[in-house]
Structures are given as C-alpha cells and as structure tokens.
Amino acid sequence: MDIKTLQVGPIGTNCYLLCDETEKLCAVIDPGGDAVRVAAAVEDSGCAPCAILLTHGHYDHTGAVAELSARWPGVPVYLNRRDVYEGDAYLQQLFPPVPCAKDYGEGDTVQVGGLTLQVLATPGHSEGSVTLRCGDALFCGDTLFAGSCGRTDFPGGSVKKMMESLKRLGELEGDLKVYPGHMEDSTLDRERSWNPYLRQAMNG
C-alpha cells in the first residue's frame, strides 16, 4: 500500500492516491480541484484508477470529480447519499451535484485491488461524512484534523454528532495513521494526547 498526498483546490484540500502497487490499481480520495494535476499524479504512479472516493460532499472535496470522470469513463464515484441535495439550489452551492455517484455508508467496503477500505459513518461536519479505513490508515475528511476537528456550522453540521464521531475514532484500537482533509497528517495516539476536541469527546 502506498499513499500519495496532493494539496488541491482553492483552500488546499488534501487529495490522496491510495495505491495497490502489486495489482497496479489506485483510488483517488477527495479530488477537490486541479483535475489535470491529479490525473498526472495517477499516471506517474503507474496505477490505473479504479474508484473515486469522497469523504463528504462539500465543493472543496468534489471539485475535480466531473473532469476526472470524463477522463476515466466507467470509474465509479462513491458519496454518501446524505450529502446529496437534489433540487435545492442554495445547498448545491456547498454540495454541488456529483453525477452518477454510488451511495456508500456504514459497514460498506470498497476494494482497491487487494486493499479493502471500510466505510465508517462519522457525521458532524456534514450529515454524510464518512471516514475510510484501510489497514492502519484513516482517511478522515473534515472530521478529525491534527489538533482540531471540522466545522459544524455548515448545513447538516452538528456539534453532538461531531463529538460522537470523534469519540468513535478515538476509541479505535492502535496508533492508526490519520490522513485529514486539510493540513498535515497525524496519528491517533498523538491526537488522543494533544487534540482538545478528541480528548473532550472521549472524556464525555
């Protein structure tokens, strides 16, 4: 398993390439912009894209999906249905439509070659926020950041649900690697020790 990070889009969203180097397949997680650069990184990896995975539906995480889908016809796009707002022009400014997205959520798995990603529902930043776990790696979107957590004041956000999601992540066993939607990566042990939001969530 190899993980490459690109900062893309207007506010530096972390886009991840999760590669199975044995089977030469990869998933693109949260391509929030810069489709040409993302596609070039995939080509440079030597792996063929087999899925586009979205941790939630905000524009800064989905901005390059349409262009990448046009480049890679047939590659499925996954997004939790709770972040789909059909017919609501106001909410679609924050949650732009993602054509032909497949729904996924709690308990689902996605295969990337020989790698298995588990989908964990972690609402709070948005109703449909998910965390994707692959081995010892957690792709947390805008739920858990290094030293912080995602905003809860957007439509669909909830402080209560964010605390529940942080508690769930904090109680996972082991010192898992944390790959957030923005800023630098971290580890669960580090966040358990130093993140005031995670500590509050775990201590009730």
Side-chain angles (χ1 to χ4, degrees), residues 10-159:
I11 55 176
T13 300
N14 288 332
C15 171
Y16 298 102
L17 306 186
L18 174 65
C19 304
D20 179 341
E21 296 178 295
T22 301
E23 297 199 21
K24 298 298 182 183
L25 293 170
C26 71
V28 178
I29 301 173
D30 286 352
D34 302 332
V36 172
R37 190 156 64 91
V38 173
V42 169
E43 186 173 348
D44 288 346
S45 75
C47 296
C50 65
I52 297 173
L53 308 175
L54 304 173
T55 60
H56 61 293
H58 288 167
Y59 70 92
D60 59 312
H61 291 253
T62 68
V65 170
E67 189 172 339
L68 292 175
S69 292
R71 284 174 173 263
W72 304 327
V75 172
V77 180
Y78 292 87
L79 170 67
N80 185 271
R81 61 179 174 80
R82 292 178 178 83
D83 276 4
V84 177
Y85 293 90
E86 295 179 353
D88 190 320
Y90 172 72
L91 286 176
Q92 284 183 0
Q93 296 178 69
L94 183 59
F95 298 91
V98 179
C100 300
K102 297 177 178 291
D103 179 34
Y104 68 171
E106 178 66 32
D108 289 335
T109 59
V110 179
Q111 289 297 130
V112 179
L115 305 176
T116 301
L117 289 96
Q118 300 171 297
V119 182
L120 310 177
T122 50
H125 181 63
S126 70
E127 278 287 340
S129 287
V130 300
T131 292
L132 304 171
R133 179 174 183 175
C134 186
D136 65 351
L138 292 173
F139 300 94
C140 299
D142 288 2
T143 300
L144 177 62
F145 295 140
S148 188
C149 68
R151 294 173 58 170
T152 58
D153 57 335
F154 290 131
S158 165
V159 173

